[in-house]
């Protein structure tokens, strides 16, 4: 009986390790995840967060914040903030395109979340539309909204 229990525990541990490795190694498909926040189609699941100006294709969780900067400078600053975050890399686009998508993986299991941002002209400077969403699961427990708030706070705190 003890031997069966040990084998079962070893099998479960092996499955957990395989799942953790898969999460860390699953490829990020830019064709699927590099979306324009202005035309993004939301799934309706509570595992995403969108800030967009009026007229975006999907209802936003809040308005796109406006910064006293031109779109190129705003996108370059946002790119620097995003790439300074732990376990984050750019998978498509870039500051020169005024549109980029990043993947940030969770610390423990490496679950990928995707953040797409676009800088666009707005009265008083430039607006930043941001769409953050989870690849797996139905609920994110507020992680995507918190991420966007944290990244925007870091962007606002950057020296001008």
């Amino acid at each position: 009986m003890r031997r069966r229990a040990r084998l079962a525990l070893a099998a479960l541990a092996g499955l957990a390790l395989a799942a953790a490795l898969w999460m860390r190694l699953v490829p990020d498909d830019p064709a699927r995840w590099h979306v324009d926040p202005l035309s993004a189609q939301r799934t309706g699941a509570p595992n995403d967060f969108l800030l967009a100006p009026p007229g975006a294709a999907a209802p936003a969780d809040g308005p796109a914040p406006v910064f006293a900067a031109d779109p190129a400078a705003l996108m370059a600053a946002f790119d620097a903030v995003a790439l300074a975050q732990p376990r984050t890399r750019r998978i498509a686009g870039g500051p020169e395109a005024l549109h980029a998508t990043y993947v940030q993986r969770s610390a423990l299991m490496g679950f990928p979340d995707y953040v797409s941002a676009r800088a666009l002209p707005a009265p008083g400077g430039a607006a930043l539309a941001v769409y953050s969403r989870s690849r797996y699961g139905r609920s994110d427990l507020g992680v995507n909204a918190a991420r966007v708030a944290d990244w925007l706070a870091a962007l606002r705190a950057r020296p001008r």
Side-chain angles (χ1 to χ4, degrees):
M1 187 73 158
R2 284 186 177 209
R3 182 178 171 160
R4 283 188 182 179
R6 281 195 298 261
L7 285 173
L9 283 175
L12 284 174
L15 285 173
L17 179 61
L21 284 173
W22 171 251
M23 285 300 151
R24 294 201 179 276
L25 299 175
V26 66
D28 303 307
D29 181 6
R32 177 175 179 195
W33 297 106
H34 185 52
V35 300
D36 185 342
L38 302 178
S39 60
Q41 298 298 313
R42 299 179 78 177
T43 65
N47 67 348
D48 68 356
F49 185 78
L50 174 65
L51 295 181
D61 295 300
V66 175
F67 294 83
D70 64 81
L74 176 58
M75 195 64 209
F78 184 82
D79 188 67
V81 165
L83 294 176
Q85 303 305 310
R87 302 170 310 281
T88 303
R89 65 184 180 85
R90 186 180 337 114
I91 63 167
E96 65 286 344
L98 303 180
H99 178 210
T101 297
Y102 310 86
V103 61
Q104 183 176 51
R105 294 186 179 270
S106 63
L108 183 61
M109 291 295 290
F111 290 113
D113 288 347
Y114 299 92
V115 181
S116 296
R118 175 175 289 286
L120 53 147
L128 187 68
V130 183
Y131 183 38
S132 183
R133 63 258 185 226
S134 302
R135 179 169 180 167
Y136 298 109
R138 177 154 169 78
S139 175
D140 68 354
L141 303 174
V143 168
N144 285 294
R147 174 185 300 110
V148 171
D150 290 347
W151 290 18
L152 290 176
L155 182 61
R156 288 183 181 105
R158 284 180 57 88
R160 308 259 182 252

